[in-house]
Amino acid sequence: MTTTCALCRRVVPDERIPDPQVVQEHHLVPENRKDSPTVLLCRPCHKQIHALFSNAELREEYDTIEALGEAERLADYVEWIRGTEKLDIKVATSDRRDG
């Protein structure tokens, strides 16, 4: 089964799907997993979101995939990742992250 990342819109190749962490479920309302809607993200996008935004920011400002897609802090990253086939990246927590 082919999966498309909800953020970068890259298609994760079928041969990578058996990797249990290549596609990850992202809770749009952190710390409320029971009631939170979810989206499927490739591993790099999921890691980048959590490196750039605190749970409070995600909960209060970026609780939809549309809001994440429009986030200025993610714009350069999304443009870059769309041009790669990388499914593993290194990230560091941003000093621009609130909290």
Side-chain angles (χ1 to χ4, degrees), residues 52-72:
L52 292 178
F53 302 105
S54 68
N55 282 346
E57 288 175 303
L58 291 170
R59 205 174 33 253
E60 294 165 16
E61 299 176 50
Y62 303 104
D63 62 346
T64 67
I65 195 63
E66 294 80 17
L68 284 167
E70 294 171 3
E72 187 175 318

Side-chain angles (χ1 to χ4, degrees), residues 65-96:
I65 195 63
E66 294 80 17
L68 284 167
E70 294 171 3
E72 187 175 318
R73 275 188 262 172
L74 276 172
D76 289 341
Y77 161 79
V78 171
E79 183 179 338
W80 169 78
I81 199 73
R82 283 183 178 151
T84 79
E85 294 183 10
K86 292 179 183 262
L87 291 173
D88 286 301
I89 63 169
K90 292 185 183 208
V91 298
T93 301
S94 171
D95 59 359
R96 294 184 349 183

